[in-house]
Amino acid sequence: MKELSIPSKKRLILLERLLCDYPEKTITSPKIQDLLGYSAAVIRKDISGLGVNCGASNGYKVAELRQALESALKLSGDEHKCIIVGLTRLGQVLLDNPQLENSSFRIVAGFDSNVNRTEVLKSVFPLHPTTMLETIIKAEKITYAILTTEESEAQDMAQKLVACGIKGIVNYTPCVLTVPQGVQVQNVSLIMSLKALTALT
Amino acid sequence: MKELSIPSKKRLILLERLLCDYPEKTITSPKIQDLLGYSAAVIRKDISGLGVNCGASNGYKVAELRQALESALKLSGDEHKCIIVGLTRLGQVLLDNPQLENSSFRIVAGFDSNVNRTEVLKSVFPLHPTTMLETIIKAEKITYAILTTEESEAQDMAQKLVACGIKGIVNYTPCVLTVPQGVQVQNVSLIMSLKALTALT
DNA sequence: ATTTGTGAACAGTTTCACAGCG
DNA sequence: CGCTGTGAAACTGTTCACAAAT
């Protein structure tokens, strides 16, 4: 089966989430259009790209479709281990984030360059000074990092994380991170998100 | 001048931020390629789309380029007023977000459906019960909302916000929001951001 | 020599239209 | 009859290649 395109994947991620709490047994492409705002045609193409045919010309079976989505988007199966880097107030809030329960993502540690913070703060996950980054990332096979440092540290940390083998960064700092090809970054700081709203209006 | 395409705008937003703390007087398209990861060619096309010619075949003048970007992306000029809806822990952290200082965005109020919270919590901005949403959004001409409610409330609130005339939502909940055409949503919850990383890898 | 700016070629996506199915 | 699945057409965005500028 050929690879899904990036625009297609982005839509399918939303669809996957939509189906998480969809009450009906089946769903049609016009219905998805109403809920997601994409055209029914593009949704059908996207789903057809999944390879499974769970639409018997009278709507898709929600359960089957969900499973196909999870597998195609690598959201089932092996757990993805994450760390939080930067125990700022935002970092602390994200540390025990109930959103991740029952997901394929798990936060396994927190880091801060300020040893005070790692010693004083309490969490269900171990907190380490950033000097331990390499050891732990490699030992625990961490794939993703959630970056919540001060701005001044952000690029430095990103570089270190990439050097340790991190494959993706959720960037809650407003900094533009320079990373090599193949490393994914999602910029989700408040200010950058607001700028995106403005520009795309 | 013809409208910038959406992909182009997304790149230009990053470029604008990059230039915020760029130390040199000029910058070349190959240099931007190194820092942002987009091809020099596409960057040149993007910039040429701005209409201003501030590259005298030996790199772009940073100051001029920045100004052109801010104006094209509507980041200068009129202030964009925002509210925070949902004073969860995350909402509280975002309330006094220093990132917004010196930007064209300003948070002017916080809301929660739980009156206890709006009364007990302290902030530099006024906090109101959600019954006041319509009054204040219209009186203050609010354009954007930052959604940090519980999941159970998210879609309901989104609908109310849109009905009050909100033009864009930064969605920190993992819910997929159904909004009419013309209303922008940026999904920036931790779990959705992580899923995006996985799918796009 | 290196860089911008741009028309032309190319690649990728979306929309259209409709055959086939329930 | 409304729905899916899918080639073909239309559209949009990106890369290429090079003239003009310094």
Side-chain angles (χ1 to χ4, degrees):
Chain A
M1 187 208 339
K2 73 167 187 296
E3 194 60 26
L4 294 161
S5 73
I6 288 166
S8 176
K9 280 180 182 171
K10 287 187 182 167
R11 290 186 295 264
L12 290 173
I13 291 169
L14 292 179
L15 179 57
E16 189 271 337
R17 167 70 211 199
L18 182 74
L19 297 187
C20 281
D21 37 43
Y22 193 72
E24 317 283 329
K25 278 222 172 39
T26 61
I27 191 167
T28 65
S29 60
K31 185 69 189 168
I32 298 173
Q33 169 169 349
D34 290 348
L35 293 169
L36 253 42
Y38 302 116
S39 80
V42 85
I43 290 289
R44 287 204 301 277
K45 268 252 162 75
D46 288 343
I47 293 175
S48 113
L50 294 175
V52 293
N53 287 25
C54 48
S57 74
N58 229 300
Y60 300 93
K61 293 187 198 127
V62 171
E64 282 181 40
L65 183 51
R66 251 192 82 184
Q67 217 158 3
L69 284 166
E70 284 179 8
S71 124
L73 302 173
K74 292 184 234 129
L75 300 179
S76 56
D78 285 354
E79 203 170 50
H80 304 284
K81 293 190 183 178
C82 314
I83 54 175
I84 297 211
V85 181
L87 302 172
T88 51
R89 278 179 71 203
L90 178 59
Q92 293 169 41
V93 170
L94 294 178
L95 252 189
D96 26 50
N97 193 308
Q99 286 176 14
L100 298 193
E101 274 164 36
N102 301 318
S103 82
S104 55
F105 301 95
R106 192 157 56 90
I107 296 176
V108 300
F111 292 85
D112 201 293
S113 52
N114 182 337
V115 182
N116 264 4
R117 279 199 259 202
T118 57
E119 284 180 352
V120 171
L121 291 171
K122 286 275 172 249
S123 160
V124 273
F125 314 106
L127 305 180
H128 306 284
T130 46
T131 47
M132 297 289 290
L133 271 173
E134 184 163 11
T135 315
I136 292 177
I137 290 175
K138 291 188 173 165
E140 295 254 28
K141 297 197 180 1
I142 312 285
T143 36
Y144 300 130
I146 296 144
L147 194 67
T148 44
T149 62
E150 312 294 339
E151 295 186 31
S152 55
E153 274 192 316
Q155 176 60 48
D156 255 25
M157 278 300 161
Q159 213 155 297
K160 282 206 185 77
L161 291 166
V162 169
C164 296
I166 287 289
K167 285 288 166 254
I169 298 175
V170 179
N171 180 20
Y172 279 94
T173 81
C175 303
V176 177
L177 304 177
T178 299
V179 295
Q181 274 269 165
V183 177
Q184 282 295 320
V185 177
Q186 289 286 314
N187 293 303
V188 293
S189 66
L190 181 56
I191 179 83
M192 293 306 276
S193 304
L194 286 169
K195 284 183 180 179
L197 284 184
T198 309
L200 303 182
T201 304
Chain B
M1 187 207 338
K2 75 165 184 297
E3 195 60 26
L4 295 162
S5 72
I6 288 166
S8 175
K9 278 180 183 171
K10 287 187 183 167
R11 290 187 293 265
L12 290 173
I13 291 169
L14 292 179
L15 179 57
E16 189 270 337
R17 168 69 211 200
L18 182 75
L19 297 186
C20 281
D21 37 42
Y22 193 73
E24 316 283 328
K25 279 224 172 38
T26 62
I27 191 166
T28 65
S29 59
K31 183 70 189 168
I32 298 172
Q33 169 168 350
D34 290 347
L35 293 169
L36 253 42
Y38 303 116
S39 81
V42 85
I43 289 290
R44 287 203 301 277
K45 268 253 162 75
D46 287 343
I47 293 175
S48 114
L50 294 175
V52 293
N53 287 25
C54 49
S57 72
N58 231 300
Y60 299 94
K61 293 186 200 130
V62 171
E64 282 181 40
L65 183 51
R66 253 193 79 183
Q67 217 157 3
L69 284 166
E70 284 179 9
S71 125
L73 302 173
K74 292 184 233 125
L75 301 178
S76 57
D78 284 355
E79 202 170 49
H80 304 283
K81 292 190 186 179
C82 315
I83 54 176
I84 298 212
V85 180
L87 301 172
T88 52
R89 279 180 70 204
L90 178 58
Q92 293 169 43
V93 169
L94 293 178
L95 251 188
D96 26 51
N97 194 308
Q99 286 176 16
L100 297 193
E101 275 166 35
N102 300 317
S103 82
S104 55
F105 301 96
R106 191 158 57 90
I107 296 175
V108 300
F111 292 85
D112 201 292
S113 52
N114 180 338
V115 183
N116 264 3
R117 279 199 261 204
T118 58
E119 283 180 352
V120 171
L121 291 170
K122 286 275 172 248
S123 159
V124 273
F125 315 106
L127 305 181
H128 305 282
T130 46
T131 47
M132 296 290 289
L133 270 173
E134 183 162 11
T135 316
I136 293 179
I137 290 175
K138 291 188 173 163
E140 295 254 27
K141 296 196 179 7
I142 313 285
T143 35
Y144 300 129
I146 297 145
L147 194 68
T148 44
T149 61
E150 313 294 339
E151 294 185 31
S152 54
E153 275 192 315
Q155 176 59 47
D156 254 24
M157 279 300 160
Q159 215 155 298
K160 281 207 186 77
L161 290 166
V162 169
C164 296
I166 287 289
K167 284 288 166 256
I169 298 176
V170 179
N171 179 19
Y172 280 93
T173 81
C175 305
V176 176
L177 304 177
T178 299
V179 295
Q181 274 270 159
V183 176
Q184 282 295 321
V185 177
Q186 290 285 315
N187 292 303
V188 294
S189 66
L190 182 54
I191 180 81
M192 293 306 275
S193 305
L194 286 168
K195 284 182 181 180
L197 285 184
T198 309
L200 303 182
T201 303

